[in-house]
């Protein structure tokens, strides 16, 4: 599942993946963050999001930031990009903020899902 948020200066794309088990989700998360297709970026220390998380930013050649996290059987990738002039810090903050909002909406395994509102 993919969802986009756009404004005149920034864009955030959220990709949701659901695995059949926690073990499969852990494997998929690890493959996603170590994929050779992903451009290496600078890892950023930040609050922990979900059960596993990784945050990277690419300020050297673009103004994009990425958050990957897993909560239970759900794996999420958030791409935050600048469309017009703003700071890379703002893009990174947006990626983290959206990750925290999404993470709050995902119920732990065994619970009924919450309605999602972004």
């Amino acid at each position: 599942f993919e969802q986009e948020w756009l404004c005149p200066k920034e864009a955030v794309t959220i990709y949701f993946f659901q695995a059949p088990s926690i073990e499969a989700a852990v494997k998929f998360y690890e493959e996603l963050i170590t994929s050779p297709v992903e451009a290496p970026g600078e890892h950023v220390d930040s609050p922990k999001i979900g059960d596993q998380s990784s945050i990277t930013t690419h300020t050297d050649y673009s103004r994009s930031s990425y958050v990957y996290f897993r909560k239970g059987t759900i794996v999420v990738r958030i791409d935050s990009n600048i469309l017009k002039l703003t700071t890379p810090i703002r893009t990174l903050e947006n990626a983290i903020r959206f990750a925290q909002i999404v993470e709050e909406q995902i119920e732990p395994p065994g619970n009924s899902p919450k309605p999602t509102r972004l």
Side-chain angles (χ1 to χ4, degrees):
F1 177 74
E2 178 183 335
Q3 186 169 4
E4 290 188 302
W5 172 83
L6 300 168
C7 79
K9 294 182 182 179
E10 299 159 273
V12 176
T13 304
I14 305 167
Y15 301 92
F16 298 91
F17 306 92
Q18 185 165 15
S21 67
I22 290 177
E23 293 78 17
V26 168
K27 182 179 177 184
F28 179 72
Y29 170 82
E30 294 295 331
E31 289 173 358
L32 189 63
I33 66 170
T34 60
S35 168
V37 175
E38 295 299 320
E42 179 182 334
H43 284 281
V44 177
D45 290 331
S46 70
K48 183 180 177 203
I49 301 168
D51 300 319
Q52 293 176 279
S53 59
S54 175
I55 299 172
T56 57
T57 189
H58 300 275
T59 56
D60 290 341
Y61 60 89
S62 75
R63 293 184 178 174
S64 300
S65 293
Y66 303 90
V67 177
Y68 304 88
F69 74 90
R70 181 192 63 80
K71 185 171 182 181
T73 60
I74 306 292
V75 178
V76 178
R77 172 183 162 173
I78 297 179
D79 300 357
S80 181
N81 299 292
I82 296 173
L83 301 176
K84 291 190 178 178
L85 293 179
T86 190
T87 66
I89 295 298
R90 170 82 186 246
T91 302
L92 177 60
E93 289 170 348
N94 277 345
I96 293 169
R97 180 170 51 98
F98 272 83
Q100 291 169 329
I101 291 168
V102 170
E103 191 268 339
E104 287 175 4
Q105 299 300 313
I106 299 171
E107 285 289 329
N111 291 342
S112 59
K114 290 181 183 178
T116 301
R117 292 186 184 174
L118 294 179

